[in-house]
Amino acid sequence: MSDVILEVNQLNTYYKERGEKKKHVCKNITFQMEQGEILGLVGESGSGKTTLVKALLGMVKDKEGAIKLNAKMPQMIFQDPYSSLNPSKKIGWLLQEPLRIKGGFTKEEREKKAYEMLKKVGLNDNIFNHYPRQLSGGQRQRVSIALALMLEPELLIADEPVSALDVTIQAQIMDLLLKLKEEMGLSILFISHDLRVVYKMCDRVLIMEDGEIVEQGKVEEVYKNPAHPYTKMLLEAVTTV
Amino acid sequence: MTIKKKPNYNFIIGSILTGLIVALALVSLVYTPYDPDAMDAANKFAGISLKHPMGCDNFGRDIFSRVMEGTKNTLFVALGTVAIGTVFGILLGAFTGYFGGILDEILMRINDAIFAFPSILLALVIVSLLGSGKYNVMIALGIAFIPSFARIVRAEFLKNRELDYVKSARLMGAGSLRIMFVHILPNTFSVLASSVMIGFNNAVLAEAGMSFLGIGVQPPDASLGRMLSEAQTYLFSTPSYAFFPGLVIILMVLGFSLLSEGISQKSV
């Protein structure tokens, strides 16, 4: 068995809107994630996927339970490539920003690393001086991936990274993520509501319903023999379409 | 393929008018046809002539020179006012919009209270505390202008702080100040630019109004508002005395309005 990169034990989170009753969002979430695996997280909107991610990143205050992260600062890729890149900055500036914040790099070093990263995600050098609005959705998502990888994280959280893209572009981005995973030894927590995408990408999968993990296991096994009625329902929805 | 765009007339005409006015003010720094304060009893109420293109006033001072000088003073006060309003407005709006919470509630209620006063009235109160004069008018009007800028900036920050690029910056380890002023602030500029122009406009009118009432720019300094107030006695005998300063104010305000309209059209 390889090393465990993320261990979540009995995680509960609560959410309270002003003037409303406290809501119990994530309920007794327990799972492990191994080094180098792609773990799928599947569930409908409102099932608590995003809250779970926020909790993992330390953005939820009201929580109980243990989150053990054996990795440097995890980075994230967002669903909407239009709001995840700052519209007023050039791509080159954006890619250098993580290094600028971290400090200890000269301008030449930063630019060199940014160009290398552009190449890695399959983008042209000339994009360096473009603004995000000049790029297509697929190109933007590649830039987001490049941005997330600038600090060489061990854990990458991808929040529906392909849901907003065309099907052909989806395939390209998925291939890119798989390639980068091999090259950089990434572990990816891959969030999606599209079971076909999860089938292609992931080693193991967590099925979430109403804040609980109702089923988890290897993708093939879960898809072949869904144990929980909710998983069956999700799979049936895919096959009927 | 290029889509043919209708030329942005607002922006073009606005730029030309504003450019001319600013040029007039800049030239007055180094050259005016006559000393704007030099009195010449022989030319009292002189009419429009080649020597005095806008005529002379009740002391025989050249009105054209005084209009140039007055434009400079009015623009200077307007610039200072907008600068004070924008800088403090940005600071206030950024902090309240980004952090929210109790601080936001308290500061925005104070903001609302200031906003509730007409800006001239508020400036009058402040001037009566500080005393009159160019710089005090600037401070007074500047304070009166802060709330409107703060509101605009706050709204933009509220909108932007929820966007993923801010989350992404936070994940990179950027601090709050860096996120506020390096990441978010530039995204507010397009909205801010047109309101700065409108603010400029209001500042010109407010300065002219206050100088007209005699609490703005003090004699012997020329100011467009002050000239108007001095000219009202001679409105029928020497209409050119009131006409030209008034004309410059109108053109200035028109220029800024068109420019602000043009900028907001551009950013769409």
Side-chain angles (χ1 to χ4, degrees):
Chain A
M1 276 277 274
S2 43
D3 297 334
V4 173
I5 192 165
L6 174 68
E7 198 177 346
V8 178
N9 214 339
Q10 294 291 323
L11 177 75
N12 284 290
T13 71
Y14 305 93
Y15 176 74
K16 194 173 178 298
E17 188 97 335
R18 214 192 303 188
E20 275 180 42
K21 262 169 99 183
K22 206 173 187 178
K23 278 189 207 137
H24 194 167
V25 188
C26 295
K27 297 162 189 158
N28 294 321
I29 304 268
T30 302
F31 70 93
Q32 281 191 348
M33 195 177 161
E34 281 159 25
Q35 179 85 47
E37 81 169 335
I38 301 186
L39 179 65
L41 178 59
V42 178
E44 294 174 317
S45 3
S47 60
K49 289 174 295 183
T50 309
T51 311
L52 174 57
V53 168
K54 278 190 179 167
L56 296 181
L57 296 170
M59 290 178 180
V60 175
K61 279 188 197 125
D62 200 354
K63 67 179 180 215
E64 301 163 352
I67 297 171
K68 219 172 115 193
L69 190 63
N70 298 322
K72 282 185 298 183
M73 186 88 119
Q75 293 294 313
M76 195 164 165
I77 309 169
F78 297 91
Q79 174 174 4
D80 179 8
Y82 290 86
S83 81
S84 62
L85 299 175
N86 191 335
S88 64
K89 307 286 187 209
K90 288 181 179 172
I91 304 303
W93 190 95
L94 281 172
L95 289 179
Q96 291 176 57
E97 180 68 356
L99 305 177
R100 223 177 271 129
I101 293 166
K102 197 177 170 201
F105 296 92
T106 63
K107 190 165 180 281
E108 287 74 31
E109 284 172 334
R110 287 200 312 256
E111 283 181 355
K112 193 168 155 260
K113 275 179 178 269
Y115 276 116
E116 280 170 12
M117 192 51 82
L118 274 181
K119 205 171 168 192
K120 244 184 200 167
V121 298
L123 288 171
N124 247 332
D125 274 1
N126 61 13
I127 283 191
F128 198 82
N129 286 317
H130 282 18
Y131 285 100
R133 64 169 177 275
Q134 296 168 290
L135 307 183
S136 69
Q139 285 174 318
R140 283 170 194 241
Q141 204 55 304
R142 283 173 194 266
V143 173
S144 310
I145 293 171
L147 188 57
L149 295 180
M150 282 308 286
L151 289 174
E152 296 167 4
E154 292 154 59
L155 175 62
L156 187 65
I157 297 175
D159 188 359
E160 310 233 10
V162 297
S163 316
L165 304 172
D166 292 345
V167 178
T168 46
I169 311 291
Q170 277 190 356
Q172 290 173 13
I173 297 290
M174 286 193 281
D175 288 340
L176 174 67
L177 280 172
L178 288 170
K179 186 194 92 170
L180 290 170
K181 181 215 149 196
E182 291 304 322
E183 279 179 20
M184 305 183 68
L186 287 170
S187 312
I188 305 178
L189 180 60
F190 191 92
I191 301 159
S192 182
H193 60 258
D194 188 336
L195 287 166
R196 280 167 296 192
V197 170
V198 169
Y199 188 77
K200 181 175 175 187
M201 289 291 296
C202 303
D203 307 311
R204 284 196 313 130
V205 62
L206 306 172
I207 311 277
M208 232 177 141
E209 186 197 10
D210 217 4
E212 281 176 282
I213 292 181
V214 294
E215 185 156 5
Q216 56 177 308
K218 285 221 175 342
V219 172
E220 292 83 9
E221 284 164 22
V222 171
Y223 276 40
K224 229 177 262 166
N225 301 308
H228 195 272
Y230 180 69
T231 319
K232 281 181 192 155
M233 200 190 82
L234 282 176
L235 283 166
E236 273 162 23
V238 173
T239 43
T240 50
V241 170
Chain B
M1 198 183 82
T2 50
I3 298 165
K4 211 173 175 193
K5 253 181 150 181
K6 216 177 111 193
N8 192 338
Y9 289 118
N10 284 339
F11 187 77
I12 298 168
I13 300 174
S15 310
I16 294 172
L17 279 178
T18 310
L20 282 176
I21 299 287
V22 171
L24 198 65
L26 286 180
V27 169
S28 81
L29 288 175
V30 287
Y31 169 78
T32 50
Y34 295 86
D35 179 353
D37 298 328
M39 301 183 197
D40 179 3
N43 276 321
K44 253 188 192 180
F45 301 119
I48 297 167
S49 63
L50 276 179
K51 273 175 86 182
H52 299 287
M54 292 182 185
C56 289
D57 67 3
N58 52 330
F59 294 113
R61 296 176 296 195
D62 179 46
I63 293 179
F64 183 56
S65 305
R66 286 185 71 71
V67 164
M68 283 174 81
E69 185 78 5
T71 306
K72 184 195 76 184
N73 283 331
T74 301
L75 272 183
F76 178 66
V77 171
L79 200 68
T81 301
V82 172
I84 293 173
T86 318
V87 168
F88 287 97
I90 284 176
L91 285 175
L92 204 63
F95 276 95
T96 54
Y98 186 76
F99 290 112
I102 287 284
L103 180 84
D104 177 34
E105 289 290 331
I106 295 171
L107 286 176
M108 287 323 281
R109 291 301 82 77
I110 296 174
N111 213 15
D112 286 344
I114 297 179
F115 205 54
F117 286 100
S119 55
I120 286 243
L121 203 60
L122 185 69
L124 282 177
V125 173
I126 301 172
V127 164
S128 66
L129 291 175
L130 296 174
S132 57
K134 228 182 343 196
Y135 296 100
N136 288 340
V137 168
M138 224 184 261
I139 294 169
L141 286 174
I143 292 173
F145 275 40
I146 292 172
S148 63
F149 286 115
R151 249 160 203 260
I152 293 161
V153 175
R154 176 175 174 270
E156 287 297 301
F157 267 74
L158 274 177
K159 198 173 79 189
N160 275 279
R161 73 166 186 198
E162 301 299 334
L163 294 180
D164 287 338
Y165 78 82
V166 174
K167 269 184 223 154
S168 144
R170 209 172 292 148
L171 282 177
M172 289 172 203
S176 296
L177 284 179
R178 188 170 181 88
I179 293 178
M180 281 158 72
F181 295 110
V182 179
H183 289 259
I184 300 182
L185 187 59
N187 291 313
T188 67
F189 284 164
S190 60
V191 177
L192 207 55
S194 79
S195 53
V196 162
M197 292 323 279
I198 295 172
F200 226 88
N201 233 340
N202 294 335
V204 166
L205 287 176
E207 188 280 328
M210 290 180 78
S211 295
F212 184 83
L213 295 174
I215 50 174
V217 176
Q218 292 301 303
D221 279 350
S223 130
L224 296 174
R226 181 148 204 99
M227 289 175 75
L228 277 182
S229 111
E230 286 162 358
Q232 58 182 336
T233 328
Y234 316 106
L235 193 56
F236 293 104
S237 55
T238 321
S240 59
Y241 191 3
F243 178 75
F244 289 107
L247 184 69
V248 173
I249 292 177
I250 291 171
L251 291 181
M252 210 187 267
V253 171
L254 186 66
F256 289 136
S257 303
L258 289 174
L259 201 54
S260 113
E261 191 75 12
I263 289 173
S264 53
Q265 259 176 32
K266 260 195 164 178
S267 61
V268 167

